[in-house]
Amino acid sequence: MPFGYASPEQIMRDKADYARKGIARGRSVVVLQYVDGILFVAPNPSRALHKISEIYDRIGFAAVGRYNEFEELRLGGIRYADINGYTYDRSDVTGRGLANLYASNLGRIFTESIKSLEVEVVVAEVGDNPDGDAIYRLTFDGSVFDEHGFAAMGGQADAVAGRLKERYRESMSLADALGVALTALTEPGGERPPVAQLEVAVLDRNREHRKFLRLTGARLERLLAQTTTSATPSSTPSATSATPPEAPATGPAAESSETPETPPTAPPTGPPTGPEGDVDDGSGPL
């Protein structure tokens, strides 16, 4: 046996452990469906280096890990989409085709290279209706997972996915979906990241042509205010319903002191939360 020999199984295990440790150091990213498309949310203090990007008309990209490595994957995906869209037709560029391309490249690098890529990627495509949406999660070794409803990756991905599973529901509004994503990304008892350190984008099926849109600044603050407001009214009825009704008095004393009952007043109805005018429709400047 030659000096320094290692079995192929041991080499693959070492590569996988190395990649997992690098990915686990990054912050988590959440991708989930809402009623009008697909939402991307990532804590990101950098304003110049993006974890979330557009690939093509209906396709978005999110990644965690080493920035220089997943940036090369992103640029390669854009070139693939542009060439195929120009050579054939724009409708021939699909999220599944792009996911297959990434899986092939990641698998080849993991098998043949000394060092595997320390990246995990999500490719999402929005359809004309919720049934046409697709979310593909790819790991460092080229494995592809067809996710339904939501996907989480990066550091503490298992814990984030568990909190998402508890709170996620189909056909959520954009504000509700953002609230669920931020709750999943926040440790129990912790504080949500400030607006300046959030990277948020959507694939909105109601937009014309290019569906990708970043949400920043005042637009994002209005959405966050809606998530806070929508959670407030739910605590009011529970406090009143917890008080048991008093038993009616009986006997002659009760008859003499009986007074006409006043009808119960209906609880005040406040203004509707999440006014439609505050939701960005993509018509304004970024």
Side-chain angles (χ1 to χ4, degrees), residues 181-202:
L182 291 177
T183 302
L185 288 168
T186 306
E187 292 291 335
E191 295 184 358
R192 290 181 175 180
V195 178
Q197 296 185 9
L198 281 176
E199 186 177 359
V200 182
V202 294

Side-chain angles (χ1 to χ4, degrees), residues 73-104:
L73 292 174
R74 184 187 72 88
L75 294 175
I78 292 175
R79 285 192 292 267
Y80 162 85
D82 285 343
I83 292 173
N84 281 270
Y86 179 78
T87 305
Y88 305 105
D89 187 79
R90 300 186 76 87
S91 61
D92 292 327
V93 180
T94 63
R96 184 175 61 178
L98 187 62
N100 290 334
L101 175 69
Y102 283 151
S104 176

Side-chain angles (χ1 to χ4, degrees), residues 8 37 51 56 58 71-72 97 100 118 128 137 148 153-154 159 163 174 177 183 189 203 209 211 215 233 281 283:
K51 295 182 177 180
Y56 211 56
R58 294 175 170 267
E71 179 67 6
E72 288 185 8
N100 290 334
E118 300 172 57
D128 295 329
R137 181 172 62 88
H148 299 280
M153 57 183 179
R163 292 191 288 267
L174 178 56
T183 302
L203 288 171
H209 305 300
K211 309 297 182 182
L215 303 177
D281 61 356
S283 59

